[in-house]
Structure formats: C-alpha cells, structure tokens
Amino acid sequence: MAVSKFTPVYKETHSLSSQFSSLTETSVFNSRICFSHPLPRPHNAARVFCSVSQNELQAPVAAQQNDTPKIKHECFGVFCVTYDLVAEEETKSWKKLINVAVSGAAGMISNHLLFKLASGEVFGPDQPIALKLLGSERSFEALEGVAMELEDSLYPLLREVSIGIDPYDVFKGVEWALLIGAKPRGPGMERAALLDVNGQIFAEQGKALNAVASRNVKVLVVGNPCNTNALICMKNAPNIPPKNFHALTRLDENRAKCQLALKAGVFYDKVSNVTIWGNHSTTQVPDFLNAKIGGVPAKEVIQDNHWLENEFTQKVQTRGGALIKKWGRSSAASTAVSIVDAIRSLVTPTPKGDWFSTGVYTTGNPYGIAEDIVFSMPCRSEGDGDYELVEDVIFDDYLRARIKKSEDELLAEKKCVAHLTGEGNAYCDLPGDTMLPGEM
C-alpha cells in the first residue's frame, strides 16, 4: 500500500510536514485539513494552509477518463473529501454546509462536544458541518491530535476541519461560535482578577466575531464567568444583534430537572418548565414555582416547601463542587451534553407549553430585571435559531428576592469590567465570592 503524507504549504511554497492521513493509490477521495501555524512565518505569508486547494481538487485516478484530469469544485464527505459523483447521484437531502467555531477546542469539554457535533447529533443527520477549532500556541499540537481523531472517525457529515490560534482566521464566516476556552481560577485569585483576565479574552473574541463572522452568527459563551463574559463579547461586537449572544446555564437546568425527578420518584422526562434565573454562580435561582412534573405544578407533587427552598436550591447550586469532590475533575461530559441541549433548543421548535433556560440580554425583558446585563431567563424558540422570552410565568416574594440577589451580583460584575465594555473605568465591589467550584 502506498502511503502519502499530508503536506500543507504556504502559497510561497514553504512547506510543513504532518502525517494526518494515509490514502491508497486507488482511494476514491482526497482529504483537506486546514490549520494556522503558530511558529514565526514570513511577512505577509498566508495564515491558513491547506493540503489541497478547494479550487484544485481533482477526481481520483480511477475515475478519470481519457487521461484527462477532472476538476471538482464541490466537496462531499469527510474533511472536504471529494467523491467522483455525477450531479444526479449527489445526496439531495443534505442541507447547505454550516460553519461552527469552537474555542478551547483541545480541552476536555470540547473532547466530548466535537464528536457530537460531527456525528449529526446536534444539527441533525442531514446537516453537513465544517468545524473551525481555536486554540493557543501551547495547545496547537493537541489541536492537531483532535483533528486526527476526527478524521479517523469517518463522519460523513464532517466536511472540513480547520485549526488555528488567531480568532480572526478561525471565525471567518462562522454561523455558530461556541466559546468554551477560558482561564481557570488559580490559587488565591480573586474573582475580580478572573473577570479581568477572562474578560480580555472575550473582548478580543468579540472583536474578531464582529470583523469576520456571519452577521447573524449565534454565540454561546461557556467559559466562566459566562454571563459577564457573554456581555463583554457582545459589547465588542456591535455589528452582531445582542439577541444572538447566550451564556450557558443549561447544565444548571438539567441538574435541577434531575433533582426534581429524583425527589418525585419519576423519570426526568416528566419534568418540564424548569427555569434557571440569573447568574451562573451560587446566586443562580432554580425555579420550582413554575416547574411542572407530569404537567402538574411541582409544588403540588412535592409538598415539602423546606426541601424545595433549601435542599433543592443548594443541591443545584453546588452540584459541580460535589462532582469535583467525588471525581477530582470538573463536569466536562455533562457540560458538553448541556451545550448540545442548548443548541438544539434553538434549532428545533420548543414543545408546546414548555420552555428552556439560557443567559440572554435583558434589555426589553418583561420581568422588571435590570437592563443591559446577561441574565438567565425562560425562552421559547420556533427552531430557527432565534428565541422569545416567556411571559406566562408567575412570581412570589421568595422567587423575586432570590432573583434580585443574582441581579445585584451581575450589576456589580458589570462595573468590574467597564473598561472592557467601553463604559468607562472599572470599579470592583463584588457583594461576595459566589463563584462555582468548577471555575477554580
């Protein structure tokens, strides 16, 4: 068997060697993987390299007739793989390719998430996808390994994988940006310091999205503190609708559903209308007042108000810490699952009467929550990537008091990052250290 090395090159013909793929001489496809190299490069050299230019893909030798090379201008299959298909044989049920960027792509959360994206589990079994993976110089070789694993998995919907360390390269034309990468909180680090360090990352990524992404890109911020990071990213991307920015609170919602199901002695699919209000911190408010179990208000099924107000709320808020204590690591797999759930809630219609939680921009909200912050609230979607806030919710004094506490925290965080949102000098006076254990 003849083995060919994958050799990406500069346009100036400077070459870099990599062994991403091996193909037999009679193989019916050519692979294409692009990446941005972190090493010093010639002035004005192209940032992205490809083994095969998309405009120069040739049909395999076995498929050529009369020894005349056949130029292919479209890609079908794994990593822009080119099959020798005639027009009437092309799969007509597949949709237009979507471009999805993932930051922190060499991390543990992404290690679970990327394969779900590539398999069709997220956007559907007929949706081709291109993955744009953002990492750092330190993680670049790990990104190459991620690309190799994706290649070896032979996902038919995965048409292209590109890797890089410059968000202005990686975010070009993306329709979805999943911003997972963030610095963890080190020993002795104050939350204000973490807000500043990670805020700078998300300010830069917001500027890059504003410059090169699709004008209707949907942005899901996972890196913590995710609510305020989402606000920073949004403020640095004025050409993208504020409504398109989300902070991930779906894992908190999933945890709340789990606890209610366990207490009621039912399977989790009987639990609906669960809202996480507020910040992704220990001030978050898992809402049992509006929750339903088997279509019945949760408070009528679980007639234990002390458990609901104390144990239930505390278990949801501290679940991540409990998991770390047991396993010695943060919840990467369940976080990846919750990212899948969050996206699917936007690309599939919300079941009638139900809703889902996501951290979104509060301006214009119907609940009286302070404007100009990112706050987790109940939403519904028609499945078009957009959402509407739910208006048919009820409040009592307990719920409003808890919501106010989370609102105050987010307003304080906003002051801490004013220098990153273009709103003046930062002033940090946080009401307390409410960071979730997983952020450390």
Side-chain angles (χ1 to χ4, degrees):
M1 180 177 73
V3 178
S4 64
K5 291 185 179 180
F6 177 85
T7 310
V9 297
Y10 288 107
K11 290 180 180 178
E12 294 84 353
T13 71
H14 302 280
S15 64
L16 299 166
S17 178
S18 177
Q19 297 179 347
F20 274 135
S21 58
S22 60
L23 306 174
T24 65
E25 288 180 340
T26 57
S27 171
V28 295
F29 56 88
N30 297 311
S31 270
R32 176 176 180 265
I33 306 176
C34 306
F35 61 93
S36 298
H37 201 273
L39 298 178
R41 52 181 176 251
H43 183 62
N44 292 330
R47 291 175 181 269
V48 178
F49 319 100
C50 302
S51 60
V52 183
S53 169
Q54 191 161 357
N55 295 326
E56 299 171 355
L57 288 169
Q58 295 187 359
V61 174
Q64 296 174 8
Q65 297 179 359
N66 301 323
D67 297 323
T68 303
K70 181 180 177 182
I71 304 299
K72 297 290 290 184
H73 297 287
E74 292 185 290
C75 298
F76 301 89
V78 184
F79 287 7
C80 237
V81 170
T82 313
Y83 293 100
D84 184 30
L85 296 177
V86 295
E88 59 268 22
E89 292 174 336
E90 295 174 4
T91 305
K92 299 183 187 302
S93 63
W94 283 349
K95 301 175 182 177
K96 181 183 176 182
L97 180 78
I98 59 169
N99 296 279
V100 180
V102 180
S103 75
M108 289 185 63
I109 295 172
S110 296
N111 190 48
H112 295 279
L113 175 65
L114 293 173
F115 297 88
K116 292 178 177 292
L117 290 167
S119 70
E121 181 179 338
V122 183
F123 293 102
D126 59 349
Q127 178 60 72
I129 187 173
L131 291 176
K132 316 290 188 180
L133 310 184
L134 179 65
S136 62
E137 289 193 23
R138 188 176 62 179
S139 69
F140 193 79
E141 285 193 1
L143 279 181
E144 291 183 296
V146 170
M148 291 169 71
E149 277 212 283
L150 285 165
E151 182 181 34
D152 292 343
S153 298
L154 298 179
Y155 289 114
L157 294 171
L158 182 58
R159 305 306 180 79
E160 180 183 339
V161 168
S162 56
I163 62 179
I165 63 172
D166 185 343
Y168 286 86
D169 289 336
V170 176
F171 292 166
K172 284 180 181 175
V174 298
E175 288 104 357
W176 288 82
L178 312 179
L179 306 185
I180 299 171
K183 294 194 176 194
R185 184 181 185 184
M189 180 183 284
E190 296 291 334
R191 186 168 195 187
L194 186 66
L195 281 164
D196 180 64
V197 169
N198 278 333
Q200 293 180 48
I201 294 172
F202 287 90
E204 182 65 17
Q205 290 181 358
K207 292 173 184 176
L209 288 167
N210 193 64
V212 300
S214 163
R215 296 303 81 188
N216 197 37
V217 61
K218 303 297 189 292
V219 183
L220 177 61
V221 176
V222 180
N224 284 315
C226 63
N227 291 61
T228 297
N229 286 340
L231 181 70
I232 294 167
C233 191
M234 183 197 77
K235 292 289 187 178
N236 283 277
N239 294 332
I240 299 170
K243 196 176 183 184
N244 287 17
F245 289 82
H246 298 257
L248 183 73
T249 57
R250 187 55 172 267
L251 179 55
D252 304 309
E253 178 188 322
N254 290 351
R255 288 168 170 168
K257 286 180 175 178
C258 175
Q259 294 305 315
L260 290 173
L262 289 172
K263 183 66 173 180
V266 300
F267 197 57
Y268 66 85
D269 65 349
K270 300 296 183 186
V271 182
S272 65
N273 302 86
V274 173
T275 306
I276 299 295
W277 296 92
N279 199 5
H280 180 66
S281 74
T282 56
T283 68
Q284 66 177 249
V285 186
D287 180 357
F288 55 82
L289 180 64
N290 289 281
K292 294 181 180 179
I293 300 174
V296 178
K299 289 189 72 173
E300 294 182 17
V301 177
I302 302 173
Q303 297 181 4
D304 185 344
N305 211 51
H306 182 270
W307 182 87
L308 289 168
E309 292 186 0
N310 296 280
E311 291 184 50
F312 166 68
T313 299
Q314 184 182 28
K315 280 186 177 182
V316 176
Q317 291 174 339
T318 61
R319 180 73 164 183
L323 188 147
I324 292 170
K325 188 174 181 180
K326 293 286 186 182
W327 204 22
R329 65 180 74 173
S330 60
S331 48
S334 56
T335 300
V337 169
S338 72
I339 295 170
V340 171
D341 290 340
I343 298 170
R344 290 178 66 183
S345 288
L346 293 169
V347 299
T348 57
T350 306
K352 186 176 180 179
D354 202 0
W355 59 67
F356 59 91
S357 303
T358 181
V360 292
Y361 195 46
T362 55
T363 295
N365 79 87
Y367 314 118
I369 295 167
E371 302 209 337
D372 201 33
I373 55 177
V374 172
F375 201 87
S376 185
M377 298 180 284
C379 300
R380 291 191 178 109
S381 177
E382 296 293 329
D384 56 359
D386 200 0
Y387 67 91
E388 296 294 336
L389 294 175
V390 177
E391 296 193 17
D392 51 330
V393 294
I394 58 175
F395 296 89
D396 61 10
D397 291 342
Y398 172 86
L399 182 58
R400 285 203 177 277
R402 291 296 182 99
I403 288 175
K404 183 65 168 59
K405 183 177 180 181
S406 203
E407 176 188 300
D408 289 343
E409 180 179 61
L410 282 167
L411 289 170
E413 287 186 11
K414 180 184 172 184
K415 292 179 181 177
C416 276
V417 298
H419 60 302
L420 298 172
T421 60
E423 298 176 5
N425 296 323
Y427 172 73
C428 223
D429 185 21
L430 296 174
D433 193 345
T434 58
M435 188 169 295
L436 296 172
E439 298 176 17
M440 300 184 186

